[in-house]
Amino acid sequence: MRLMQAPLPKTRSPYTELSRDIFLLSYFSAGINFKDISTLRYSNIAHGRIYYRRHKTGKEMNCRLTPTTVAIIDKYKRAGNIEDDYIFPILDGDIHKSEQQIYNRLHKVLAHINRELKGWSKRLGISPPLTTYVARHTYATVLKREGVNVALISESLGHSNIQTTQIYLDSFEN
């Protein structure tokens, strides 16, 4: 809530607001990871849900759009968007065409996003420092602490097996 409600700092980089939006979209969208967020296109949005294929496992995923996620997505709409356009200003289909170009761009932007999230952490007194993966971890931890079955958490995270999720959840308590 502190991150959601915090005003943007007076001096900021082009990644300050984007970093907050990526973190919040991940948390409110079942822990979707950075690469999957970065490659979302308008065609992935339908019937009040986000539909995508998880890059890491190839698993088909979907999650409900919330008012918060709709507001974040709407913030990045540009005039003349078409279904095949990326939602977030991370990848450009005219520039980032090869797997290597996409990998290099995502690696560079992820470093900027995580640096900005650490800045948010410092300004807001949040510890441990925020990263894109902390959003995913937080989503899973909230479910675990609410007593949600590990199999359901595993499915919502897109893990290929329940043992991965169990190791993942156990590591959070450490």
Side-chain angles (χ1 to χ4, degrees), residues 160-172:
S160 53
N161 64 62
I162 198 165
Q163 290 81 14
T164 301
T165 308
Q166 193 60 58
I167 292 166
Y168 193 80
L169 292 171
D170 289 344
S171 73
F172 300 161

Side-chain angles (χ1 to χ4, degrees), residues 22-65:
I22 295 295
F23 185 94
L24 294 173
L25 186 93
S26 176
Y27 177 77
F28 286 110
S29 299
I32 182 173
N33 75 1
F34 176 74
K35 184 172 185 179
D36 294 329
I37 290 172
S38 299
T39 58
L40 286 176
R41 298 174 187 266
Y42 288 99
S43 58
N44 295 112
I45 307 294
H47 313 293
R49 300 188 79 77
I50 299 172
Y51 296 89
Y52 66 99
R53 179 180 303 276
R54 186 143 190 256
H55 283 90
K56 189 172 183 178
T57 62
K59 188 174 181 180
E60 293 286 336
M61 305 291 295
N62 74 84
C63 59
R64 183 176 55 90
L65 289 167

Side-chain angles (χ1 to χ4, degrees), residues 70-147:
V70 168
I72 290 168
I73 290 168
D74 285 349
K75 186 188 302 185
Y76 293 94
K77 282 187 178 171
R78 296 169 306 281
N81 279 122
I82 59 171
E83 291 285 296
D84 205 37
D85 286 342
Y86 291 110
I87 293 173
F88 295 99
I90 297 169
L91 293 172
D92 182 327
D94 294 330
I95 298 170
H96 309 106
K97 294 181 180 184
S98 73
E99 285 299 316
Q100 189 63 52
Q101 289 170 321
I102 291 169
Y103 173 83
N104 291 344
R105 176 66 178 163
L106 293 181
H107 183 74
K108 178 181 176 182
V109 172
L110 180 59
H112 286 295
I113 296 276
N114 282 331
R115 188 175 312 117
E116 287 297 324
L117 286 171
K118 287 176 183 156
W120 279 109
S121 302
K122 190 174 183 176
R123 284 189 296 278
L124 299 173
I126 298 172
S127 181
L130 300 176
T131 66
T132 57
Y133 233 72
V134 168
R136 187 168 166 81
H137 292 180
T138 303
Y139 166 78
T141 300
V142 167
L143 292 181
K144 179 183 177 186
R145 290 183 179 160
E146 289 296 316

